[in-house]
Amino acid sequence: MALLIEEITQEDQTAILSHIRELWGDDFIVVHGDAYQVDELAGLKATLNSDLAGFLHYEIKENECEIITLASLREGVGVGTALISELEAFAKANNCNLLSVITTNDNLHALGFYQRRGFHLAALYPGQVDQSRKLKPSIPEIGDHKIPLRDEIRLEKCLS
């Protein structure tokens, strides 16, 4: 099995947007009070034997690269890790010294995943998801593991 990481192209958008809608309920993502139209973000895709296996979207602001989405469509084969590694190399090459990501208090899988890859808990934003619901009312009240979905958690990885 050959895992290949490449930039997302216009031809990939239909398939990726379909997965975005399935995973996040819409074509846009709300993070820290900002709405992101996913197909307008830069991104990377992972393919496994020519099939879409995962993707991530990111935004660079000054010396920080922020992960906006990360989805592995094939769990347990290193898709997420490969996407993070490729983005980390790209961020360093573009003079970023910080890689960051926001997740929610219910996403225990993501909290573990990022920490195992060198990210540290950096900030807690209590009630931020309630604020995000003003932009995206479809965000559920109850998240993974039947945990009330309320807070955002910022994780960071120093690249320098």
Side-chain angles (χ1 to χ4, degrees):
M1 292 198 295
L3 186 62
L4 180 64
I5 309 296
E6 300 175 297
E7 287 184 30
I8 293 172
T9 65
Q10 191 60 40
E11 292 77 35
D12 301 317
Q13 293 295 353
T14 300
I16 289 174
L17 284 174
S18 175
H19 288 291
I20 292 285
R21 284 185 215 105
E22 181 182 320
L23 295 167
W24 283 281
D26 212 322
D27 290 355
F28 70 99
I29 304 292
V30 178
V31 180
H32 46 64
D34 295 325
Y36 293 90
Q37 192 62 43
V38 176
D39 58 354
E40 296 174 2
L41 292 169
L44 299 172
K45 67 178 178 182
T47 54
L48 192 58
N49 299 326
S50 302
D51 293 327
L52 183 64
F55 55 86
L56 70 72
H57 293 88
Y58 63 91
E59 180 178 59
I60 293 179
K61 290 182 184 173
E62 297 178 21
N63 64 347
E64 178 180 342
C65 180
E66 181 179 12
I67 299 166
I68 306 297
T69 72
L70 174 60
S72 174
L73 308 175
R74 297 278 307 269
E75 293 291 325
V77 295
V79 172
T81 300
L83 286 163
I84 294 282
S85 295
E86 187 71 21
L87 182 62
E88 187 174 325
F90 176 81
K92 285 179 183 177
N94 284 274
N95 301 312
C96 293
N97 58 24
L98 187 66
L99 192 56
S100 67
V101 65
I102 297 276
T103 192
T104 51
N105 63 288
D106 68 314
N107 198 341
L108 305 179
H109 179 74
L111 288 166
F113 172 83
Y114 288 113
Q115 289 179 83
R116 286 189 299 276
R117 282 146 190 87
F119 287 75
H120 301 274
L121 298 175
L124 170 66
Y125 302 101
Q128 181 61 50
V129 178
D130 295 329
Q131 297 303 311
S132 295
R133 280 193 193 92
K134 293 176 183 174
L135 296 172
K136 188 174 178 176
S138 63
I139 297 172
E141 294 285 334
I142 304 297
D144 294 344
H145 312 286
K146 298 181 183 175
I147 297 172
L149 188 49
R150 297 185 283 249
D151 312 316
E152 287 185 348
I153 300 168
R154 178 181 168 91
L155 295 100
E156 296 177 348
K157 182 175 184 179
C158 184
L159 301 178
S160 53

